[in-house]
């Protein structure tokens, strides 16, 4: 394996191709005949990239076989990205540039990470345990409170649970989880599964090894967990403040239901993509908050998308240190190397450029508003899967734009960019220094 | 003058207060009685900040006296910001942090800048010469081609010329320059004045001293001039591509007129704020391009707003070097110091935060669309002055938000932030290093 940075996109593309072929089979589609190529490609990409944006209604368009293929794809996709991101650091330790630093950081922050095999084993174990617990709760609830037969309860419970753990956002319900908006026993386990998995593998491992020793945690875990808590609280309060009186969302609900659904929609934009409220009815200021939460996403080396919490926190820390006239960005008593600062900046700028280009194209070729299109592109890039409802109305070119966004957003702007630039000649000398006036 | 960073906001506030008082006088308003306080405050801030956003129609709402006050305010504002930004570097050379680096950079890039007196003299000379030439051309044109009487031709010519040189965007015409969209002899001198002044003082001085010796220019001048040329060309081509068939803008025009007006609207978003086309009729993709052009703005230490061309180019250079795995951001054979890189990042992040907060507030308190509000907030922050037409409809709180944006955008996120943080204790030791996983 000479160049693992290139291998990962290839593996993802191969999985998407396989998924597309399976979804093209007539037995995958509920109606007569096979699905059109674009529908199969879009759905397969969305599943492998664990995004959850859909151009057709999952439960009515696809057969049980088709839904099984989708479930298989997002389980493979979620497992793949979590192990790949973690292993990249171990395998690519000898090369130059970004990859090198990425590797070094993972090694530094996870000193006891062991070898590749133990990573795979551990990811598999966490996946199976969490998915089994959530499946059990949902299945029992659907059987006991909703009178599903056992088979149907198990299938729906399993699909929702696997989708939640892999942050996939696909659902066997046409209205996602809006039918369960009063049911904390359905929504809570899904929220918890999403929060755990969105932390990313290194943090999950840390939490498993020393859950109550915050002081001993790596800087990466401290930032990710603290950032997660702050973003969840801010999202929850912001959601309630903005939607409290909206007659289409929280307005008609009782106090407890308001709090539950606001909490659910504070967790979901941070990459999971289920919805218990109608996103298309959200107020503009709610969407603004959602743009930011989606763009930030979750923890590194997990199924979460976005630029990642550490990237966002580090950018803020740089600005704070700069405004204070301090030399280093300091977080939890540790300074961060300037190379890592530049890496964070690069991730954010490349993400913004990609979203801006995609948004411009969609604005030009569709009649939809900036509000809806920006929501769609950020959701696709950050592999969130929430939508104001325009996905199915996009023309073919628009669907292709979203497909590219989902793929690049998942496999990673940096991975792609590094892969492109690998092998570029390195300059052994430095140019003389001269500085422009800035700002 | 112990702390010039704090002095500048105070001087600007004092000028705005004086302008507000003058505009409150009954002789400033065309109708009976004085203007309401908010109208006077908004107009004075917009003029001193050389923004050009208006809540009332300049030629019909204000008397000749009122218009004279506005002219006086944006001339003072433009002269003030250009000299202040240049002098800040000279005066503040001894302090710490950002200001210190800013000063050092100006000194480095303008080795022969001389003393404060010569800066003032030179700015004054350039101002008078360019304004006199443009006034003369416009006056003659208005007299000869439009049959204005001499007094009226001179007044309108002078007002447009001073507004152009100071990037103010105020006009004595209710439809800005839409009435002259076929007249290159009116539009071209205004465009040229705007382009010159938007380069900023250090570049203007360089162009004056060695106009044809690009190789000998400072890095700052090279980036600013090259960036300006690229942005103008990109804006021109993009404008034509997007609006060519729009029946409300370029659609009905002849080829030459299309090219002229597209060029004009490639120059104007980069801070001047005149319009020869109806901005409210622009297509969504045109507005996307305008958001970016406005946000970037012009050259440092001039009347241009925005994050500045050098800041934008440097950010891109950092990302390119990072993707290529190179150690330094290199521009024109010079590497840039990492401290300056962090400064550029800080300017951009603070600008984005400010715009995001303002946009969220306006989305919550007004019925306008994200498309129009984002245009308004970016225009205000970057002191451009273009609008899709919602300024006059904003509620009082909305006007206050725009006032703050114009002020902070003009006096500078960094200046304000540095002023706030000055005197903060400096830490003589460094924390141990530890790096999170990023992206
Ligand atoms: K998702
Ligand atoms: K302006």
């Amino acid at each position: 394996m000479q160049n693992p940075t290139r291998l990962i996109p290839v593996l993802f593309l191969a999985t998407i191709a396989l998924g597309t072929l399976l979804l093209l089979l007539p037995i995958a589609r509920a109606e007569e005949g096979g699905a059109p190529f674009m529908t199969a490609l879009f759905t397969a990409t969305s599943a492998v990239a664990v995004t959850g944006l859909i151009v057709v209604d999952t439960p009515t368009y696809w057969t049980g076989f088709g839904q099984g293929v989708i479930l298989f794809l997002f389980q493979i996709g979620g497992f793949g990205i979590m192990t790949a991101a973690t292993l990249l650091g171990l395998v690519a330790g000898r090369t130059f540039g970004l990859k090198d630093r990425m590797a070094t950081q993972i090694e530094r922050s996870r000193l006891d990470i062991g070898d590749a095999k133990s990573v795979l084993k551990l990811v598999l174990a966490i996946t199976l345990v969490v998915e089994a617990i959530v499946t059990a709760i949902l299945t029992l609830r659907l059987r006991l409170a909703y009178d599903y037969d056992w088979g149907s309860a198990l299938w729906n419970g399993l699909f929702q649970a696997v989708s939640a753990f892999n942050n996939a956002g696909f659902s066997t319900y046409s209205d996602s989880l809006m039918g369960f908006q009063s049911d904390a026993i359905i929504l809570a386990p899904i929220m918890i599964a999403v929060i755990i998995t969105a932390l990313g593998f290194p943090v999950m491992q840390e939490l498993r090894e020393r859950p109550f020793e915050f002081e001993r945690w790596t800087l990466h875990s401290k930032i990710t967990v603290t950032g997660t808590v702050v973003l969840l609280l801010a999202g929850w309060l912001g959601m309630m403040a903005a939607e409290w009186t909206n007659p289409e969302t929280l307005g008609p609900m009782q106090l407890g239901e308001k709090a539950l659904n606001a909490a659910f929609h504070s967790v979901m934009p941070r990459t999971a993509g289920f919805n218990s409220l109608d996103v298309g009815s959200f107020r503009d200021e709610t969407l603004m908050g959602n743009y930011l939460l989606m763009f930030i996403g979750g923890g590194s080396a997990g199924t979460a998308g976005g630029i990642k919490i550490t990237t966002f926190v580090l950018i803020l820390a740089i600005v704070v240190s700069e405004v204070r006239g301090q030399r280093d960005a300091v977080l939890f008593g540790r300074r961060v190397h300037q190379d890592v600062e530049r890496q964070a900046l690069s991730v954010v700028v490349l993400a913004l450029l990609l979203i801006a280009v995609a948004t411009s194209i969609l604005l030009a070729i569709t009649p939809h508003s900036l509000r809806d299109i920006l929501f769609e592109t950020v959701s696709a890039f950050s592999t969130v899967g929430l939508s104001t409802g325009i996905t199915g109305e996009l023309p073919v070119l628009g669907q292709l734009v979203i497909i590219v966004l989902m793929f690049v957003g998942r496999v990673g702007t940096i991975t792609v960019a590094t892969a492109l630039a690998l092998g570029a000649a390195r300059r052994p000398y430095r140019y003389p220094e001269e500085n422009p006036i800035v700002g």
Side-chain angles (χ1 to χ4, degrees), chain A:
Chain A
M1 190 153 48
Q2 241 192 322
N3 188 345
T5 319
R6 257 175 229 173
L7 185 68
I8 291 168
V10 169
L11 283 176
F12 268 85
L13 283 176
T15 313
I16 290 171
L18 173 68
T20 305
L21 286 177
L22 290 172
L23 289 178
L24 280 172
L25 298 176
I27 53 162
R29 185 181 176 186
E31 278 180 43
E32 199 66 36
F37 176 73
M38 277 303 294
T39 303
L41 175 65
F42 192 98
T43 307
T45 308
S46 182
V48 174
V50 293
T51 307
L53 286 173
I54 46 177
V55 286
V56 293
D57 182 41
T58 308
T60 57
Y61 190 90
W62 305 107
T63 59
F65 173 82
Q67 295 173 37
V69 169
I70 293 170
L71 175 73
F72 169 76
L73 291 177
F74 61 65
Q75 176 61 79
I76 290 285
F79 185 82
I81 196 69
M82 199 180 292
T83 50
T86 308
L87 291 178
L88 188 63
L90 298 172
V91 181
R94 277 152 307 165
T95 58
F96 283 93
L98 264 178
K99 279 195 323 172
D100 179 40
R101 288 204 296 275
M102 209 186 285
T104 321
Q105 290 148 35
I106 292 180
E107 281 164 359
R108 267 190 219 152
S109 57
R110 300 289 329 133
L111 291 171
D112 52 342
I113 205 162
D115 60 80
K117 216 168 160 185
S118 81
V119 169
L120 286 171
K121 266 189 186 166
L122 195 52
V123 173
L124 198 60
I126 296 177
T127 304
L128 290 177
V129 169
V130 178
E131 288 182 358
I133 294 173
V134 177
T135 301
I137 298 174
L138 296 183
T139 302
L140 285 171
R141 181 69 179 172
L142 290 173
R143 172 80 188 104
L144 302 176
Y146 296 85
D147 277 332
Y148 284 39
D149 63 62
W150 277 108
S152 169
L154 178 62
W155 171 242
N156 285 290
L158 176 73
F159 195 97
Q160 277 22 261
V162 176
S163 180
F165 182 80
N166 291 287
N167 272 317
F170 279 90
S171 174
T172 47
Y173 299 99
S174 299
D175 61 355
S176 189
L177 300 177
M178 287 174 64
F180 301 99
Q181 60 185 196
S182 317
D183 191 345
I185 299 175
I186 296 286
L187 297 187
I190 289 177
M191 276 164 67
I192 292 167
V194 166
I195 292 173
I196 291 173
T197 186
L199 291 170
F201 178 71
V203 178
M204 284 193 272
Q205 202 194 349
E206 182 114 80
L207 282 173
R208 185 174 146 274
E209 283 178 14
R210 50 189 86 80
F212 304 112
E213 299 166 78
F214 186 84
E215 281 307 316
R216 283 187 57 213
W217 286 1
T218 61
L219 179 59
H220 180 78
S221 297
K222 285 177 182 167
I223 296 175
T224 304
V225 171
T226 311
T228 297
V229 171
V230 170
L231 287 176
L232 287 177
L233 282 176
W236 186 50
L237 295 175
M239 191 70 203
M240 286 197 284
E243 296 290 324
W244 193 264
T245 59
N246 186 341
E248 308 288 322
T249 59
L250 300 184
M253 295 179 177
Q254 297 297 313
L255 198 68
E257 204 178 342
K258 276 180 162 129
L260 173 67
N261 283 276
F264 194 77
H265 271 276
S266 153
V267 175
M268 294 305 141
R270 305 200 27 260
T271 211
F274 286 115
N275 56 295
S276 67
L277 300 169
D278 176 21
V279 176
S281 301
F282 279 175
R283 291 188 168 140
D284 287 342
E285 52 270 34
T286 309
L287 291 193
M288 278 294 288
N290 271 246
Y291 298 144
L292 182 63
L293 288 179
M294 293 196 298
F295 186 70
I296 297 171
S300 304
T303 50
I307 59 167
K308 307 301 181 309
I309 291 174
T310 42
T311 310
F312 179 71
V313 171
L314 183 51
I315 295 278
L316 291 186
I318 296 168
V319 174
V320 168
S321 72
E322 193 66 11
V323 167
R324 287 193 182 156
Q326 288 159 351
R327 185 174 164 191
D328 299 309
V330 172
L331 287 159
F332 296 104
R334 293 285 183 277
R335 69 184 154 90
V336 176
H337 196 279
Q338 286 201 313
D339 285 351
V340 183
E341 295 183 1
R342 298 174 104 238
Q343 189 183 338
L345 171 64
S346 303
V347 169
V348 172
V349 171
L350 290 174
L352 288 175
L353 283 179
L354 192 68
I355 290 170
V357 169
T359 303
S360 300
I361 295 174
L362 291 180
L363 279 172
I365 65 170
T366 74
H368 302 294
S369 68
L370 174 61
R371 163 201 147 104
D372 291 344
I373 287 175
L374 189 59
F375 196 88
E376 195 80 9
T377 51
V378 177
S379 177
F381 168 78
S382 295
T383 62
V384 174
L386 292 175
S387 173
T388 57
I390 67 171
T391 323
E393 300 165 29
L394 294 176
V396 169
L397 178 57
Q399 291 185 17
L400 282 173
V401 168
I402 297 293
I403 286 172
V404 170
L405 271 181
M406 293 192 293
F407 182 76
V408 176
R410 179 76 287 173
V411 178
T413 22
I414 285 297
T415 312
V416 168
T418 315
L420 288 175
L422 259 182
R426 229 141 236 103
R427 296 183 285 198
Y429 57 93
R430 297 182 84 180
Y431 286 90
E433 178 180 330
E434 185 181 351
N435 297 305
I437 311 168
V438 148

